[in-house]
Amino acid sequence: MVDRQLSFETNLANLSHNAWLAEIDDVCEDFGFFEQLGTDHFVGFLEAGNNLLVTFENTQNVRNHNARSEPRGFTYTRHEGWSHLALFSSKESWFRDEAVFDFFDRMVDDAFFEDFEKIVFYGADGGGYAAAAFSVAAPGSTVVALRPQATLEAASTGWDTRYRNHRRLDFTGRYGYAPEMIEGAEDVFIAFDPMERLDASHAALFRQPHVTLLPCPLMGANLDQAFDRLGILDVTLKLAMDGSLNARRFNQLLRTRRYDDTYAIDLIGHLIEANHSRLARVICEYKIQRSKNPFYAKTLADLT
């Protein structure tokens, strides 16, 4: 397989769900394939170069939050020449569907993943769980999972009360317990906000030596959107693909949060709540020089 950057244009914003899927279908059929997996899942493949990015995304989130309402991997096929395997869910499912299991079984039987030199599995939230769980299909791959759940099986994570309505999903069968499914991966990176207690508890279940935990304090529950806002998710995936991602490099990227108003406002609120008013004033004074947001001047006046 020869590296080649794919050339295609999309116009996916403001489309209905079905029209959006139809456009994705057209692009994938031009350069690879597109399949419906059961009633709630879809897969598209763009064949480009020897590197493969495998993503797990919710269609509504892609349409609402991704740049150009595109699957995250499309830009990499254009600019990096990566091949892209995109798994989509039309509802919150953690990709726990027999049709999805069968698809990965078939890809393993067809030696699909053996055609690539480097493979990165990526996802956030339920997609992060799936990125870890299905990485077992491609031994030697790298996993980048943002705020993944280890499982929703009550026997293992009954302490997590956020997903009661999804307990009916079966996490005991194939591709079930994510911390076990990553054993064949080369590197696994788990990003989470340690201030989110339940997210931190899930992250702690990924204990293997080849797992690197990436704490992101005060970055909240929507890490993919926060990373996009900071402009660091793109770099993180590129570092993962070339094998140079590590905790030090990631923490260097995370330092850009100092320029982010959302993070600074959350940090100031946390400091005030913890009775660290002096530090809150210092940050307000720093941000007043660098931001037009009136929050800092008002908060500084209140503190003084």
Side-chain angles (χ1 to χ4, degrees):
M1 186 182 298
V2 179
D3 287 346
R4 61 189 179 101
Q5 296 170 327
L6 302 185
S7 179
F8 60 92
E9 294 297 327
T10 62
N11 185 16
L12 302 175
N14 303 315
L15 296 179
S16 68
H17 180 264
N18 288 339
W20 183 88
L21 280 175
E23 292 289 333
I24 300 298
D25 187 344
D26 288 344
V27 172
C28 292
E29 288 293 350
D30 286 342
F31 297 100
F33 63 78
F34 184 87
E35 295 181 26
Q36 183 165 349
L37 306 176
T39 58
D40 299 309
H41 298 89
F42 311 85
V43 59
F45 174 62
L46 300 178
E47 183 176 357
N50 291 319
N51 294 330
L52 174 67
L53 176 66
V54 185
T55 60
F56 298 82
E57 298 186 278
N58 177 275
T59 55
Q60 191 66 43
N61 290 339
V62 174
R63 293 163 59 209
N64 290 345
H65 302 299
N66 283 15
R68 300 158 58 101
S69 297
E70 284 189 343
R72 187 167 295 279
F74 274 24
T75 187
Y76 298 105
T77 65
R78 290 193 190 97
H79 302 298
E80 307 298 328
W82 298 353
S83 294
H84 177 39
L85 184 67
L87 279 294
F88 305 105
S89 64
S90 57
K91 65 179 184 179
E92 291 299 328
S93 69
W94 283 260
F95 295 84
R96 299 301 300 166
D97 188 304
E98 288 290 335
V100 179
F101 307 161
D102 290 344
F103 171 77
F104 276 97
D105 288 347
R106 174 158 46 96
M107 293 297 99
V108 172
D109 291 341
D110 293 344
F112 172 82
F113 295 107
E114 295 179 14
D115 289 336
F116 301 96
E117 293 181 4
K118 183 69 176 180
I119 302 174
V120 172
F121 283 74
Y122 164 79
D125 308 325
Y129 158 82
F134 291 105
S135 69
V136 70
S141 58
T142 295
V143 176
V144 177
L146 312 187
R147 189 180 169 262
Q149 292 77 49
T151 177
L152 297 189
E153 184 191 7
S156 299
T157 58
W159 38 262
D160 189 343
T161 59
R162 296 172 296 180
Y163 308 112
R164 292 186 186 276
N165 292 336
H166 297 93
R167 292 292 187 190
R168 65 183 182 277
L169 295 172
D170 181 13
F171 284 81
T172 63
R174 288 179 292 167
Y175 306 100
Y177 186 56
E180 291 181 353
M181 296 300 102
I182 61 171
E183 291 182 354
E186 181 175 355
D187 289 298
V188 178
F189 299 92
I190 306 293
F192 65 101
D193 184 344
M195 309 297 290
E196 302 284 340
R197 180 178 59 83
L198 296 177
D199 291 345
S201 297
H202 278 283
L205 296 176
F206 293 85
R207 299 190 179 97
Q208 291 88 332
H210 63 304
V211 173
T212 300
L213 297 182
L214 303 175
C216 307
L218 294 176
M219 295 301 292
N222 297 313
L223 286 185
D224 53 342
Q225 297 173 39
F227 286 8
D228 279 336
R229 193 174 66 245
L230 298 179
I232 66 173
L233 185 49
D234 174 67
V235 182
T236 298
L237 291 177
K238 289 179 180 177
L239 291 173
M241 189 63 81
D242 70 21
S244 58
L245 181 62
N246 54 43
R248 181 182 63 83
R249 295 292 298 274
F250 179 80
N251 287 331
Q252 289 174 340
L253 294 176
L254 198 60
R255 292 177 65 185
T256 59
R257 64 188 174 179
R258 70 177 70 180
Y259 306 111
D260 180 52
D261 281 340
T262 300
Y263 170 75
I265 290 170
D266 288 346
L267 176 58
I268 291 167
H270 175 74
L271 291 172
I272 293 173
E273 186 176 341
N275 294 318
H276 295 303
S277 297
R278 184 183 66 81
L279 288 175
R281 289 198 301 271
V282 169
I283 295 173
C284 285
E285 291 167 352
Y286 172 85
K287 293 297 290 186
I288 285 171
Q289 306 302 317
R290 293 162 176 81
S291 173
K292 297 180 180 179
N293 193 314
F295 169 86
Y296 304 111
K298 181 182 184 303
T299 302
L300 181 62
D302 292 341
L303 289 171
T304 57

